[in-house]
Amino acid sequence: MTVEFDTSSAKFAEYAEPGRLVTTAWLEEHLGSPGLVVVESDEDVLLYETGHIPGAVKVDWHTELNDPVVRDYVDGAGFAALLSRKGISRDDTVVIYGDKNNWWAAYALWVFSLFGHEDVRLLDGGRDRWIAEGREITTEVPSPAPTDYPVVERDDSLLRAYKDDVLAHFGNPLIDVRSPEEYSGERTSAPAYPEEGALRAGHIPTAQSVPWARAVADDGGFRPRAELEEIYRDGAGLRDGDAIVAYCRIGERSSHTWFVLKHLLGFENVRNYDGSWTEWGSAVRVPIVTGTAPGTLPA
Amino acid sequence: MTSALPDALAEIRDEFLELPESERLQLLLEFSGELPAVPEEIAAHPEMSERVAECQSPVYIHVAVNDGVVALHATAPAEAPTTRGFASILVQGVTGLSPEEVLAIPDDFPQTIGLTRAVSPLRIAGMTGMLLRTKRQVRERTGLSGSPR
């Protein structure tokens, strides 16, 4: 930790790791602090250009965090080059925010975590709240002094699940964070409509359906801990000590849920299956369940 | 029916390709700002517009064919400037064409304007969805068979 935690919020104090979130007021007050870098990461690749928090740098998931050829993230050298270019040092406090209630911000945070960047936080309420509160935005793009971020090998073993890991995980809780229609396997495509990204529809057997947005309160921030406990423990049946895998279509919405389970509720063993439905729904002979019930494991 | 790129779309493509890759996003942002508002009579009847499911943002298109001239209207939220930019390119490039000319637009036009790397293939798929849906609506309104996919 380089910059002090935001201790101003009673809501944050209830979470397993209160330091993983900052309020808009805290961020405004700390803009420009040494050791603090603000990163915007959006679904829309142009949104940053229309106006962003002063001093914030942009990190785009598609074009910067992904390997351009293989379906994978950048490697240690690629990540070091990216963060050096953005002016981020290994011990900097990074606050990430974005559109869509921080979907892509959570995704970026998860990828930063694969490289073990320690102090990475989300702006509660994201881009929308900052703007709704009338706080300053600018189109001026900063040119940070390049840093010398070290080459750290990505560690996929703790936070990331591959398809084979999911097969081996059967019998443990899975959370499907997609919409109910995607979960049940309803198809909406019709002739002359472009094909969807997966060949089969449905969900992974036994996965509980908890659409990601249930973790978001009406004000656009994360729900208070008690409400999250109700959704994930009482509703989806998660218990202390569970090993959990979350998935969606390409792994971005499930990063949001991963953040909630890992950092806000304190489950220690939570992995994001980023292959998600676009891999599972096209893989040969993996089990699939359709309908609204979780279903059972293959015999 | 053979594929042919109408002049307006060819000009837009050339405008992008003449720029270095790093500046193409800025041009897309300019297009985004130029997306015209839809006429009152269309805005008042949202059920007449079609949702473009390939775009993650709520984007709606409306195609009219009057006296052999196609008019394309589109709405996309301000928080989705990339999608607005795509819609604006198509609205500017399609409106005023004949149905035959619209159906002759190559389906891979979105891949040819030099944005695939700057924007990502996944996002370009949204623009392809808009184009294919526009062509399908033109077929439905005119009974032309067009180039089947």
Side-chain angles (χ1 to χ4, degrees):
Chain A
M1 179 190 73
T2 298
V3 181
E4 58 172 357
F5 289 130
D6 178 0
T7 53
S8 67
S9 160
K11 182 181 85 169
F12 296 175
E14 300 286 322
Y15 294 135
E17 295 177 60
R20 288 290 175 177
L21 290 172
V22 302
T23 56
T24 46
W26 182 94
L27 184 58
E28 186 170 57
E29 202 177 301
H30 287 77
L31 283 181
S33 300
L36 173 70
V37 180
V38 183
V39 170
E40 174 160 343
S41 203
D42 297 317
E43 175 181 301
D44 193 296
V45 69
L46 273 180
L47 200 51
Y48 172 89
E49 278 76 7
T50 67
H52 51 262
I53 296 178
V57 295
K58 165 183 169 179
V59 171
D60 184 63
W61 170 65
H62 287 287
T63 60
E64 293 184 310
L65 293 178
N66 270 344
D67 182 277
V69 179
V70 177
R71 184 173 173 189
D72 198 2
Y73 302 102
V74 291
D75 61 10
F79 189 72
L82 174 70
L83 268 67
S84 297
R85 206 163 64 235
K86 304 291 177 187
I88 302 173
S89 298
R90 183 71 174 166
D91 56 0
D92 276 348
T93 296
V94 176
V95 172
I96 313 184
Y97 73 98
D99 59 355
K100 303 275 160 80
N101 302 107
N102 284 329
W103 276 18
W104 302 89
Y107 207 160
L109 181 145
W110 177 71
V111 174
F112 275 50
S113 303
L114 293 178
F115 290 97
H117 191 100
E118 199 181 308
D119 188 3
V120 53
R121 317 179 189 176
L122 288 182
L123 173 66
D124 194 38
R127 179 186 163 92
D128 285 350
R129 179 177 293 177
W130 182 276
I131 290 174
E133 289 171 347
R135 298 182 197 273
E136 186 186 354
I137 58 168
T138 177
T139 54
E140 195 180 314
V141 177
S143 342
T147 53
D148 190 16
Y149 199 90
V151 175
V152 180
E153 281 317 308
R154 202 182 66 221
D155 181 359
D156 291 344
S157 66
L158 297 177
L159 309 180
R160 186 180 185 193
Y162 303 138
K163 176 169 123 284
D164 288 346
D165 298 330
V166 176
L167 289 164
H169 178 83
F170 276 168
N172 296 293
L174 283 153
I175 303 289
D176 184 319
V177 314
R178 299 171 301 158
S179 63
E181 294 76 18
E182 288 169 287
Y183 180 83
S184 67
E186 280 172 47
R187 289 294 298 253
T188 50
S189 56
Y193 281 44
E195 260 309 311
E196 316 245 347
L199 295 172
R200 297 300 168 106
H203 58 265
I204 300 176
T206 73
Q208 292 284 330
S209 171
V210 187
W212 70 277
R214 294 194 54 200
V216 179
D218 290 340
D219 67 2
F222 288 101
R223 282 188 193 280
R225 181 163 188 171
E227 294 177 21
L228 294 174
E229 302 274 7
E230 208 175 296
I231 292 166
Y232 293 98
R233 286 180 190 269
D234 306 346
L238 297 180
R239 289 184 306 212
D240 287 336
D242 274 349
I244 307 159
V245 169
Y247 71 94
C248 58
R249 207 177 69 86
I250 52 173
E252 90 293 6
R253 287 172 286 179
S254 45
S255 296
H256 190 276
T257 297
W258 171 87
F259 180 86
V260 170
L261 296 176
K262 175 92 182 164
H263 294 311
L264 303 188
L265 294 183
F267 288 99
E268 278 175 24
N269 185 349
V270 189
R271 287 177 293 168
N272 180 24
Y273 169 38
D274 59 284
S276 275
W277 198 257
T278 49
E279 178 180 44
W280 195 273
S282 295
V284 176
R285 301 191 75 200
V286 296
I288 291 175
V289 173
T290 56
T292 54
T296 51
L297 291 173
Chain B
M1 191 172 295
T2 52
S3 289
L5 192 60
D7 290 346
L9 285 175
E11 273 172 37
I12 291 171
R13 180 197 59 195
D14 294 345
E15 246 185 284
F16 275 103
L17 294 181
E18 279 161 17
L19 288 176
E21 210 162 39
S22 56
E23 289 170 31
R24 290 177 192 164
L25 279 185
Q26 207 54 44
L27 180 58
L28 186 61
L29 188 60
E30 284 170 32
F31 272 101
S32 169
E34 292 168 7
L35 180 66
V38 299
E40 193 69 23
E41 66 267 26
I42 296 175
H45 292 280
E47 74 283 358
M48 287 160 53
S49 296
E50 173 175 341
R51 167 97 197 245
V52 181
E54 293 77 23
C55 293
Q56 285 156 317
S57 320
V59 179
Y60 293 85
I61 58 164
H62 179 277
V63 179
V65 182
N66 291 314
D67 302 326
V69 179
V70 176
L72 171 64
H73 298 286
T75 58
E79 316 83 70
T82 302
T83 307
R84 282 181 67 86
F86 291 158
S88 174
I89 288 171
L90 288 180
V91 166
Q92 294 186 39
V94 162
T95 297
L97 298 178
S98 70
E100 290 81 2
E101 286 170 325
V102 173
L103 296 181
I105 297 170
D107 287 349
D108 68 351
F109 170 73
Q111 278 103 53
T112 65
I113 58 176
L115 284 173
T116 310
R117 212 165 18 190
V119 168
S120 90
L122 213 67
R123 289 175 174 133
I124 288 283
M127 188 180 190
T128 305
M130 263 183 253
L131 174 61
L132 298 184
R133 284 165 189 270
T134 300
K135 291 171 77 168
R136 198 197 73 249
Q137 285 207 24
V138 167
R139 280 195 289 275
E140 285 171 3
R141 290 188 183 15
T142 59
L144 290 170
S145 61
S147 50
R149 294 177 57 231

